Amino acid sequence: MNTHAIEKTELNKILFNASQFAVLEGGKRLLCNTQPTPDVKEAKFRLKITEESIALLFSYGVAKVEYFPAFSDELGRAKKGSSLSCGELLKIENLLRSTRIAHTSINSVTDENITLMKKLADRLYFDENLEEDIRTKILNDSEVSDYASDKLYTLRREIRLLNEKIRSRLSEYLTGDEGKYLQDAIVTMRDNRYVLPVRAEYKRNIKGFVHDRSASGATFFIEPEEVLEMNNELRSLAVDEKEEVERILGELSRRAGFMAEELTTDIELLEEIDCAYARAEYAYKLGCVQPEINDKGIIEIEMGRHPLIDRKKVVPVSLSLGSTYRFLLISGPNTGGKTVTLKMVGLFCMMAMCGLFVPAKRVKLSVFEEIYCDVGDSQSIEESLSTFSSHITNIIHIVNHATKNDLVLIDELGGGTDPDEGQALAKAIVAHLLKTGCAGVVTTHYTALKEFAFSANGIENACMEFDSNTLQPLYAMRIGLPGSSNALAISRRLGLKESILEDALNNLSVDAQRFENIVRSAEESRIKAEETLKECNRLKAEWQEKHLALSREREKLNHEKEKLSVTAKAESRRIIRDKTAQAEELLEEIESIFAKDTLNESDLIKARTLKNRLSDKAYDVEKEEIVCPQYEAVRAETLKVGSKVYVKSVNQTGIVQNVRISKNEAEVLCGNIKIRSKISELSLVIAEEKAQTNKKQERVKITKTLTPKPVPTLEINVIGKTVYEALPDVEAFIDSAVIANLEEVRIVHGVGTGKLRAGIQEFLRTHKNVAEFRYGKYGEGETGVTIVKIK
């Protein structure tokens, strides 16, 4: 790919920005030097690597490449048998650690779609033993650990002990009678041997070897005879230590040298992985998508954003070319975004050819053998080239080399010269490029070129939109219509004198005025039509939402109706059970009387009395009064204390205790429970009708004794009880609720330490008749209450 196109489309800036996400210097350099590939398979390979890297980093949390310093000739010297320094061996340890982490982290992912990155990871070579040995034996860039070998540990231990012994003996000179001969009460070193600073006049009072004299001659540095042998031994041990350290470094260097070629390959592979991770992070940060790649010259960009413009400010652009037409002619006002759009097309293609994702909603891009670009002013004083000359030089190169496999980008074709000649030349150049079959994007202000695009095959007009009311560019593209330059309108907005503008308008040719008027009128009509369509779509969406809301409300009403029906049936069954239980009790008493062997008059009177009571209790289902309440909507201003209302949220009726109009809520007493409810959730009970039937009473003889069951309340209070004491009461309460066909009940356990609440809820979690349970809402008791829904 020619460097001129890379610079003009600013691909080099994109690569540099992406390289800043790389960890290694080699990875940054590799990404900055990436060249767009014209091979569609290679481009797809690069994009697949980027796709897998995004999944590894942001879906599976794989760590990025561990940093290690750049290498120069260390591995080459190690391969030749040279001994490396501590710092150089630590660089190899860093490389081995980075290699191991990259290999294990990538291969730990079990996703079958991660294939290419695993192939790269499988080629990495590492030696955990060598990594561990270097890490434990070398402390820093200049120091080997005492524990690098047993011999080194012994030598250093002996050196420390001998040092202490020498210093201890010399310290006796400092505190003894010899101290008066010393210049300073210190022990110092000369030639790596311990010495004493003796005054010149007493040098003969200290027997020993003179190593040095001060510059003034007042002090002699003497090694006493008593420590001479110990210093000699210390020097010998230091030599042994140095040899052992060199042996250790040499051994580690030889081991590194044996794998020098593999480590060199590791560096290349890690830089490639680092480069892929950098492309992935760049795509993630900019909200990029993976483009579809082809080699047919087809380009489709939906809501593309130039990556060098702030994504909060840039206006997305959509365009397409390469299917029904190969060339796109963009026209419109100055500063309207024509050049940015043109450069974006070339930039997106080259980014995809480099393996980079692009910032857009959806993208289909093509690879090209070459991308030719003529954008901006390239005039040169040194080469005596004017603006037109520099442009035409680039154009000559393009028309001489462009083929059907290339992409051509030309900004303001034919500019910089006489307008008549310029547009004639531009028209001829575009016609020639159309014959070559190449794809291209051209920007222009020339009317003749816009007219040419209407009639010629393979080229399509496009315009950058312009608000004729505010005289501001909209930075959006419309394909199919040419754009008006609006130069006079923009000049008027910027403050050019009206007299000058009128003269300019008179100087326009009749045909030019007519064409511009037609284009402007068509654009205004299109904008109005789009606004109308947008409003229609808004109204359609609004009515669809209302229709959906009505459907939901209808379903809700049907559900409420079913709940009321179920409640009425349950109440009917309860009444029947009560009457039946009472009848059974009377029959049982009558049977007990007639079970006696002999009956007296009092027994007969008692039996007759029970019979009369049984007749009074005789129950005919169809003669029993069934209450059918009637409701009407509640208004806040008419709701009064004492009114009987139906509460939808708990499916119960109750008496209004308090009304808060400012908060649009009321307190309702439902049985023993006070509920705070929104007024919109209430319905006023206005009448109760009694339905009667005409069926004849039927008497039923009951032979099975049933104990009458009391009607359960909606609430049980177990505050103050232990879990052991409360659970039987709660179980009986749930069973009575099931028998009464209640839908929802309330258990009051309080907050306290939370043990009672936890025990009750654990019991409810396994109860077969409990559908679900929850804490009370605001106004229901919150965490001090558990609301239970019965199956």
Side-chain angles (χ1 to χ4, degrees):
M1 193 65 62
N2 66 83
T3 56
H4 180 75
I6 291 176
E7 292 176 359
K8 289 298 182 181
T9 57
E10 300 178 290
L11 174 66
N12 51 345
K13 294 182 181 180
I14 300 299
L15 293 174
F16 175 79
N17 291 343
S19 71
Q20 299 309 297
F21 294 103
V23 175
L24 308 175
E25 291 300 322
K28 295 180 180 179
R29 185 170 55 254
L30 181 63
L31 187 50
C32 285
N33 295 333
T34 301
Q35 290 292 313
T37 175
D39 186 354
V40 66
K41 291 183 179 180
E42 175 65 19
K44 289 181 178 179
F45 174 81
R46 293 180 179 181
L47 290 169
K48 183 67 166 63
I49 287 281
T50 306
E51 178 190 11
E52 293 184 7
S53 299
I54 292 175
L56 289 171
L57 290 178
F58 303 107
S59 296
Y60 300 106
V62 171
K64 297 179 68 174
V65 174
E66 284 282 320
Y67 173 79
F68 58 86
F71 284 79
S72 53
D73 61 342
E74 292 88 353
L75 293 177
R77 289 192 290 110
K79 184 178 181 180
K80 293 177 181 178
S82 298
S83 182
L84 302 181
S85 67
C86 293
E88 291 170 336
L89 285 170
L90 284 177
K91 289 172 67 174
I92 292 178
E93 187 269 335
N94 289 334
L95 171 61
L96 289 169
R97 184 178 71 252
S98 180
T99 305
R100 174 178 55 81
I101 292 174
H103 179 274
T104 55
S105 61
I106 294 175
N107 281 301
S108 65
V109 177
T110 57
D111 190 342
E112 296 180 355
N113 295 320
I114 309 295
T115 56
L116 301 181
M117 289 297 287
K118 286 187 176 181
K119 288 182 180 178
L120 285 177
D122 289 339
R123 292 171 57 194
L124 292 170
Y125 177 83
F126 59 95
D127 187 334
E128 288 189 71
N129 294 327
L130 178 58
E131 177 193 343
E132 178 68 15
D133 286 345
I134 295 176
R135 185 178 63 81
T136 56
K137 292 182 178 181
I138 298 178
L139 297 178
N140 50 50
D141 289 350
S142 59
E143 188 177 0
V144 176
S145 171
D146 293 350
Y147 304 97
S149 71
D150 293 339
K151 182 178 180 180
L152 182 61
Y153 176 79
T154 303
L155 286 171
R156 287 185 173 174
R157 182 174 178 275
E158 292 179 0
I159 289 172
R160 283 193 296 272
L161 293 175
L162 192 54
N163 270 310
E164 292 175 2
K165 187 176 180 181
I166 293 172
R167 293 184 68 86
S168 176
R169 181 66 192 91
L170 290 177
S171 64
E172 295 177 3
Y173 280 86
L174 303 181
T175 59
D177 295 336
E178 295 89 346
K180 60 186 176 181
Y181 304 135
L182 302 180
Q183 187 72 263
D184 297 300
I186 60 171
V187 176
T188 185
M189 298 192 75
R190 288 293 185 275
D191 298 328
N192 291 324
R193 301 174 76 88
Y194 288 101
V195 295
L196 294 172
V198 182
R199 296 177 182 177
E201 61 268 26
Y202 299 121
K203 66 179 180 179
R204 299 185 185 280
N205 294 79
I206 302 292
K207 292 183 180 182
F209 181 78
V210 178
H211 280 274
D212 197 5
R213 185 179 66 177
S214 66
S216 64
T219 304
F220 282 79
F221 298 96
I222 299 174
E223 179 183 5
E225 288 181 349
E226 296 181 54
V227 298
L228 183 62
E229 285 302 321
M230 287 189 288
N231 271 328
N232 288 339
E233 186 180 355
L234 186 63
R235 291 290 296 275
S236 176
L237 289 173
V239 171
D240 292 343
E241 179 200 15
K242 182 179 179 182
E243 290 177 352
E244 180 62 13
V245 168
E246 290 177 350
R247 186 194 68 79
I248 293 170
L249 294 178
E251 176 63 24
L252 294 174
S253 300
R254 281 190 293 275
R255 290 170 64 185
F258 292 149
M259 60 179 72
E261 293 184 0
E262 289 83 356
L263 293 178
T264 302
T265 304
D266 283 346
I267 294 174
E268 296 174 356
L269 291 172
L270 287 174
E271 288 176 350
E272 187 173 348
I273 293 172
D274 187 38
C275 180
Y277 283 167
R279 297 199 304 264
E281 192 165 358
Y282 178 80
Y284 183 81
K285 296 290 184 183
L286 267 69
C288 300
V289 297
Q290 182 176 2
E292 298 179 34
I293 292 295
N294 66 86
D295 56 357
K296 298 178 172 57
I298 297 175
I299 298 174
E300 295 178 2
I301 301 174
E302 183 178 346
M303 299 184 70
R305 310 184 311 272
H306 197 289
L308 294 179
I309 304 177
D310 187 351
R311 63 186 300 179
K312 296 180 181 178
K313 299 178 181 179
V314 67
V315 179
V317 175
S318 301
L319 60 86
S320 63
L321 63 93
S323 298
T324 57
Y325 50 90
R326 300 282 290 177
F327 258 78
L328 195 63
L329 183 70
I330 305 177
S331 54
N334 290 314
T335 70
K338 298 190 301 297
T339 303
V340 172
T341 302
L342 176 139
K343 292 167 69 174
M344 185 186 73
V345 173
L347 178 61
F348 275 17
C349 290
M350 285 196 280
M351 286 176 67
M353 293 159 72
C354 290
L356 288 164
F357 286 13
V358 297
K361 183 179 180 181
R362 186 190 63 84
V363 182
K364 182 184 289 186
L365 299 170
S366 175
V367 298
F368 296 97
E369 291 184 0
E370 192 63 81
I371 295 179
Y372 296 101
C373 193
D374 181 57
V375 179
D377 191 354
S378 303
Q379 62 176 327
S380 172
I381 296 175
E382 294 179 355
E383 299 179 9
S384 301
L385 289 177
S386 66
T387 300
F388 177 75
S389 299
S390 63
H391 279 304
I392 203 64
T393 301
N394 289 335
I395 297 300
I396 291 171
H397 177 75
I398 292 172
V399 297
N400 287 338
H401 295 87
T403 67
K404 65 179 181 178
N405 299 319
D406 299 333
L407 175 66
V408 175
L409 306 172
I410 304 177
D411 187 30
E412 300 296 348
L413 179 58
T417 186
D418 177 74
D420 291 336
E421 292 184 352
Q423 61 183 348
L425 184 61
K427 182 177 177 181
I429 292 170
V430 171
H432 172 81
L433 292 174
L434 285 172
K435 291 178 182 178
T436 65
C438 65
V441 180
V442 176
T443 67
T444 187
H445 287 288
Y446 289 145
T447 300
L449 207 52
K450 300 175 192 176
E451 293 174 344
F452 172 74
F454 270 121
S455 57
N457 293 325
I459 185 171
E460 184 63 76
N461 270 304
C463 67
M464 304 306 296
E465 296 187 352
F466 182 82
D467 191 332
S468 58
N469 295 322
T470 62
L471 302 180
Q472 294 282 356
L474 300 177
Y475 307 105
M477 175 176 285
R478 179 67 55 183
I479 296 178
L481 287 175
S484 174
S485 298
N486 292 288
L488 298 181
I490 293 173
S491 299
R492 179 178 286 107
R493 179 176 61 85
L494 296 176
L496 189 61
K497 292 184 177 180
E498 193 66 31
S499 59
I500 298 176
L501 293 171
E502 291 179 2
D503 288 342
L505 184 61
N506 294 330
N507 291 333
L508 286 175
S509 66
V510 176
D511 291 340
Q513 291 186 46
R514 185 182 299 113
F515 183 81
E516 288 296 324
N517 290 335
I518 292 172
V519 170
R520 190 177 298 108
S521 176
E523 180 68 9
E524 291 175 356
S525 298
R526 183 191 60 77
I527 292 174
K528 290 180 181 179
E530 286 190 349
E531 290 176 352
T532 302
L533 179 61
K534 187 183 298 183
E535 179 65 16
C536 290
N537 289 336
R538 186 190 66 79
L539 292 173
K540 180 181 178 182
E542 183 178 330
W543 281 108
Q544 286 177 341
E545 180 64 26
K546 289 182 178 179
H547 182 269
L548 185 61
L550 288 173
S551 299
R552 287 195 294 263
E553 186 66 23
R554 186 185 298 110
E555 291 178 2
K556 184 178 178 180
L557 290 174
N558 289 335
H559 181 65
E560 292 292 336
K561 180 180 178 181
E562 291 177 3
K563 287 175 64 177
L564 289 174
S565 175
V566 170
T567 303
K569 290 179 180 178
E571 183 67 13
S572 300
R573 288 196 296 271
R574 184 190 65 79
I575 293 172
I576 293 173
R577 282 195 299 270
D578 290 346
K579 293 292 184 180
T580 303
Q582 294 172 9
E584 286 178 350
E585 185 178 355
L586 294 173
L587 287 172
E588 184 179 358
E589 290 185 28
I590 294 173
E591 288 176 356
S592 64
I593 292 173
F594 286 100
K596 295 180 180 180
D597 294 335
T598 59
L599 296 176
N600 54 35
E601 188 175 353
S602 63
D603 291 333
L604 293 174
I605 294 172
K606 185 177 181 181
R608 190 176 297 107
T609 302
L610 291 175
K611 175 178 176 297
N612 292 333
R613 288 177 59 188
L614 181 61
S615 299
D616 294 337
K617 295 292 182 181
Y619 179 70
D620 185 275
V621 175
E622 298 188 6
K623 288 186 177 181
E624 182 65 27
E625 297 177 345
I626 300 176
V627 178
C628 299
Q630 303 296 311
Y631 306 113
E632 72 174 6
V634 172
R635 290 185 300 172
E637 57 272 14
T638 60
L639 186 62
K640 298 179 181 178
V641 174
S643 299
K644 188 173 184 180
V645 293
Y646 169 74
V647 186
K648 296 179 183 177
S649 58
V650 296
N651 191 27
Q652 295 292 330
T653 58
I655 305 300
V656 176
Q657 302 293 309
N658 191 12
V659 179
R660 294 186 180 91
I661 298 178
S662 59
K663 294 185 178 181
N664 193 32
E665 63 182 21
E667 284 187 1
V668 182
L669 182 63
C670 295
N672 296 325
I673 305 174
K674 267 191 180 181
I675 297 173
R676 186 174 297 170
S677 173
K678 294 291 183 183
I679 294 179
S680 58
E681 292 290 322
L682 304 177
S683 297
L684 188 64
V685 179
I686 59 172
E688 292 183 348
E689 295 179 356
K690 297 180 180 179
Q692 297 183 347
T693 61
N694 296 319
K695 282 193 174 181
K696 293 182 179 180
Q697 176 179 341
E698 296 181 1
R699 295 185 179 181
V700 180
K701 184 178 181 180
I702 306 297
T703 58
K704 183 178 180 182
T705 302
L706 295 175
T707 303
K709 304 284 185 176
V711 179
T713 62
L714 295 174
E715 173 185 290
I716 183 174
N717 190 327
V718 293
I719 293 177
K721 296 183 180 180
T722 65
V723 177
Y724 181 77
E725 295 170 342
L727 288 183
D729 294 341
V730 171
E731 184 175 12
F733 177 64
I734 296 295
D735 291 343
S736 62
V738 172
I739 294 172
N741 199 34
L742 298 181
E743 290 192 354
E744 193 172 83
V745 294
R746 164 171 143 153
I747 302 174
V748 181
H749 44 66
V751 179
T753 62
K755 291 183 179 180
L756 180 58
R757 175 181 58 203
I760 290 174
Q761 292 187 354
E762 183 63 29
F763 168 75
L764 294 175
R765 192 171 285 109
T766 59
H767 199 290
K768 64 180 181 178
N769 291 322
V770 174
E772 60 183 37
F773 60 88
R774 61 175 174 83
Y775 286 123
K777 298 179 182 178
Y778 176 75
E780 293 179 337
E782 302 182 3
T783 57
V785 171
T786 297
I787 306 298
V788 184
K789 186 173 182 180
I790 307 299
K791 288 184 178 178

